[in-house]
């Protein structure tokens, strides 16, 4: 039976990621929150990200030789993944491949995350342009 999944390639191998219903249930029980909430938070939370990756690698028929989320996260970093924006895009694409989001919704979330990251760095570079009453991102000396 063919299944839809998110293919990721690195080190000459293909890994197939998909959150099955069973994987979603495991995440919901572990974090006591809806799976979509776990997905949205995982871009900035390594514990959630590792759990999400572990579940996404472990579905029956995946053929993945690595099913440990922590180990796979280290592989992703070795392949050049870095930054909240890149990991956010990964989890949003995974959610779309697993039926939790549409492709359009995943694109909207990626654009929103990109905008939020750009805004945060803009504020750090030019804190004097922050709106009145905003706290600076770092204490001023």
């Amino acid at each position: 039976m063919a299944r839809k999944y998110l293919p990721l390639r690195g080190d000459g191998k293909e890994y197939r990621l998909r959150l099955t219903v069973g994987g979603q249930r495991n995440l919901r029980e572990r974090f006591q929150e809806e799976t979509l909430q776990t997905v949205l938070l995982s871009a900035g939370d390594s514990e959630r990200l590792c759990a999400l990756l572990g579940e996404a690698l472990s579905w029956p028929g995946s053929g993945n030789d690595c099913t440990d989320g922590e180990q796979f996260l280290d592989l992703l970093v070795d392949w050049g993944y870095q930054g909240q924006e890149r990991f956010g895009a990964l989890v949003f694409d995974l959610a779309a491949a697993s039926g939790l989001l549409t492709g359009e919704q995943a694109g909207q979330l990626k654009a929103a995350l990109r905008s939020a990251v750009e805004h945060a760095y803009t504020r750090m570079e030019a804190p004097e342009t922050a709106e009145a009453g905003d706290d600076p991102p770092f204490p001023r000396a």
Side-chain angles (χ1 to χ4, degrees), residues 30 46-55 57 66-78:
R30 178 171 178 178
S46 61
E47 181 181 358
R48 281 180 174 80
L49 181 57
C50 288
L52 183 77
L53 291 172
E55 292 296 338
L57 289 162
C66 174
T67 57
D68 179 89
E70 288 184 29
Q71 183 181 8
F72 193 71
L73 180 57
D74 286 339
L75 287 174
L76 290 172
V77 171
D78 291 344

Side-chain angles (χ1 to χ4, degrees), residues 2-21:
R3 291 225 165 152
K4 185 176 177 182
Y5 56 84
L6 176 66
L8 291 181
R9 291 175 183 79
D11 292 338
K13 298 178 183 177
E14 179 182 83
Y15 293 88
R16 300 171 177 187
L17 283 72
R18 178 189 170 114
L19 279 175
T20 62
V21 173

Side-chain angles (χ1 to χ4, degrees), residues 28-89:
R28 188 172 45 251
E29 289 172 2
R30 178 171 178 178
F31 295 107
Q32 298 298 304
E33 60 196 17
E34 290 303 315
T35 307
L36 191 53
Q37 185 175 358
T38 303
V39 168
L40 295 173
L41 293 171
S42 66
D45 180 334
S46 61
E47 181 181 358
R48 281 180 174 80
L49 181 57
C50 288
L52 183 77
L53 291 172
E55 292 296 338
L57 289 162
S58 301
W59 55 277
S62 69
N64 295 321
D65 61 352
C66 174
T67 57
D68 179 89
E70 288 184 29
Q71 183 181 8
F72 193 71
L73 180 57
D74 286 339
L75 287 174
L76 290 172
V77 171
D78 291 344
W79 298 342
Y81 278 72
Q82 51 185 257
Q84 190 172 21
E85 191 175 336
R86 183 81 188 267
F87 286 108

Side-chain angles (χ1 to χ4, degrees), residues 101-128:
L101 296 171
T102 66
E104 183 179 341
Q105 290 168 327
Q108 291 170 335
L109 286 168
K110 288 190 265 187
L113 180 56
R114 184 178 315 108
S115 176
V117 169
E118 288 173 1
H119 179 73
Y121 282 100
T122 300
R123 286 192 61 215
M124 283 189 269
E125 292 170 0
E128 63 277 356

